[in-house]
Amino acid sequence: WPAECMANAIPAFILGFLSNPFEIVYNRIVAEQLFPVNNRRNYTGLVDGVTKCLSEGVLMRGAFATALSYGIFFGSISPIYDFLKEYYYYFFGPTDWLRPACLSVATGVGCYLSLPFENIKTRMHTMSALPDGRLPYTSVWDCFFKIWNYECNYKKYSNLHAFHTSFVPYYLRCYITLLMGIQISDYAFRKNYQEDDFIEDGDF
């Protein structure tokens, strides 16, 4: 498990850094209508957004949170998915529902572990300066501890799951995307082999 986890987490972590410029433009465009008219950024598209973020000097803002979100998500789902798929394959064989069912569990774990950093990333991407000119969050860890201290406080009738706001849409997005990837991969390589081709009688 540790080897498989790191084999997926490290490339995903790097991908998170590289994709941050696109993530920040996406998040800002999605949240645009939530801001007052005079605070809107009015990006006309991806190129315009990247150009304005570059001139503003924020193109890599929240990149570490993006990288952690990607790394934790893909590093956690792969060993869980493979374990469940191979374990229950012994009982049910190559059924059509087995992998979607195993993927649903693995995606749930991955979303739960990665969503705190996904939300931190979104906050850092969409934040605007306060009236005194300061930013609400100065770093990923500053954002993390402010959420922890003020929004996860039991004395204020909250709990740890303040980090997991929007879990359901995040889960559905990830699950549908991964399931489509599996189905497309199966269709593309359907003539090369079947899932049970490598299982021989007497192996177990």
Side-chain angles (χ1 to χ4, degrees), residues 169-203:
Y170 180 58
Y171 172 84
L172 291 175
R173 185 193 75 176
C174 293
Y175 179 74
I176 292 172
T177 302
L178 293 172
L179 184 61
M180 288 177 61
I182 290 175
Q183 297 298 329
I184 293 171
S185 176
D186 286 348
Y187 181 80
F189 295 99
R190 68 190 186 284
K191 295 181 180 179
N192 292 4
Y193 63 87
Q194 295 182 354
E195 190 174 3
D196 58 348
D197 283 349
F198 304 106
I199 306 298
E200 297 181 4
D201 293 338
D203 281 354

Side-chain angles (χ1 to χ4, degrees), residues 3 16 29 49 54 80 97 116 147 154:
I29 291 176
L54 185 61
I80 296 173
W97 57 267
I147 297 174
Y154 286 92

